Amino acid sequence: MTYMGHLVLPAVEPTELPVSGGGSFPVRRVYCVGRNYLDHIREMGEADERDPPFFFQKPRDAVVPDGAHVPYPPFTSDFQFEVELVLAIGLQGSDIAVEDAFDHIWGYAVGIDLTRRDRQRDARDMKLPWEAGKSFDASAPCGTISPARDARHFNGCAITLSVNGVEKQRGDIGQMIWSVPEIVAELSKQMELFPGDLIYTGTPAGVGAVGPGDLISAHIDGLPSLTITITPREA
Ligand code: MN
């Protein structure tokens, strides 16, 4: 849409992520899968392991790249990491069939779903929305995107996260309850997907808390690593 006249405030900055081999991926929306590895559902004490997947969003400007310094956020004393495979959508679609889903994936990346676990537990216990626990500034670190033509399909690939060099999470992408194409198909029943959408696909067991000074490094076989540093809370 076009309005007459000038912007009354500076334009909102776009969010872009680097692509391995060159270029930038423009980010449109950030979707996340709520539960997708049995061992993590069990460590969280969640009830039904066969529930259909559910989705939530983080703000686009919560995305920060590899090497980011992430200030310890306000409104939590239990700030936790979740390593996840991220799908980068390159083709519009709704009601996408499972067998067509790979056509819609432009690339892959390693992501960390940063979480205020205390606020997420409040949401569960008090039946509140998830935003306070999940959708805050810098809560969506995402590594360099690897184009799908260069990436394997990830069944059998290790997904790991370490804090200060000590491994905390280790899983296998093949352990996902809902596979990569099933996630694309399910989400596209709820929301029309567009180029630039990111989908964080859930985390294996081993989530835990971090604090200022901690170095978090996340890896998935075949993808560029993602490393971030937690810094003291901003004044
Ligand atoms: Mn997550």
Side-chain angles (χ1 to χ4, degrees):
M1 66 195 116
T2 303
Y3 296 106
M4 297 298 288
H6 60 282
L7 291 174
V8 299
L9 294 171
V12 175
E13 288 187 16
T15 301
E16 299 175 357
L17 284 167
V19 172
S20 59
S24 296
F25 183 89
V27 179
R28 174 179 177 266
R29 287 188 184 170
V30 180
Y31 296 102
C32 305
V33 179
R35 305 181 181 108
N36 208 25
Y37 290 79
L38 273 182
D39 54 357
H40 176 60
I41 292 174
R42 288 171 182 160
E43 77 177 345
M44 293 293 290
E46 303 288 352
D48 194 335
E49 297 172 355
R50 291 164 301 172
D51 280 346
F54 71 94
F55 300 93
F56 60 93
Q57 290 188 52
K58 290 176 182 262
R60 164 172 46 195
D61 65 356
V63 173
V64 296
D66 179 45
H69 285 202
V70 173
Y72 195 95
F75 201 43
T76 185
S77 53
D78 192 6
F79 182 43
Q80 297 203 358
F81 50 79
E82 300 184 355
V83 62
E84 312 204 359
L85 174 66
V86 178
L87 316 179
I89 297 297
L91 181 64
Q92 183 177 354
S94 55
D95 290 316
I96 297 165
V98 170
E99 57 268 28
D100 297 332
F102 282 116
D103 296 342
H104 293 262
I105 300 173
W106 191 89
Y108 298 91
V110 181
I112 303 174
D113 168 13
L114 290 172
T115 300
R116 292 167 170 150
R117 193 70 69 200
D118 39 6
R119 298 292 83 79
Q120 186 193 18
R121 290 204 165 95
D122 290 349
R124 180 183 62 189
D125 296 344
M126 297 190 278
K127 301 193 189 312
L128 296 169
W130 272 38
E131 273 82 358
K134 290 290 193 179
S135 307
F136 49 93
D137 290 340
S139 61
C142 187
T144 295
I145 293 177
S146 188
R149 64 178 178 276
D150 297 330
R152 290 170 282 170
H153 295 167
F154 289 95
N155 284 345
C157 286
I159 175 169
T160 62
L161 180 143
S162 65
V163 178
N164 304 325
V166 178
E167 187 174 285
K168 300 291 188 182
Q169 291 191 270
R170 172 171 288 273
D172 183 306
I173 300 296
Q175 294 168 336
M176 283 183 180
I177 297 167
W178 298 86
S179 69
V180 165
E182 286 171 339
I183 288 167
V184 172
E186 286 294 318
L187 178 58
S188 76
K189 293 177 184 173
Q190 301 182 15
M191 309 292 279
E192 187 170 10
L193 298 180
F194 285 88
D197 291 342
L198 301 179
I199 307 172
Y200 286 60
T201 58
T203 197
V207 300
V210 286
D214 284 338
L215 183 77
I216 306 176
S217 194
H219 307 268
I220 295 173
D221 289 349
L223 293 178
S225 297
L226 168 62
T227 299
I228 61 169
T229 304
I230 309 303
T231 58
R233 182 172 302 175
E234 287 180 332

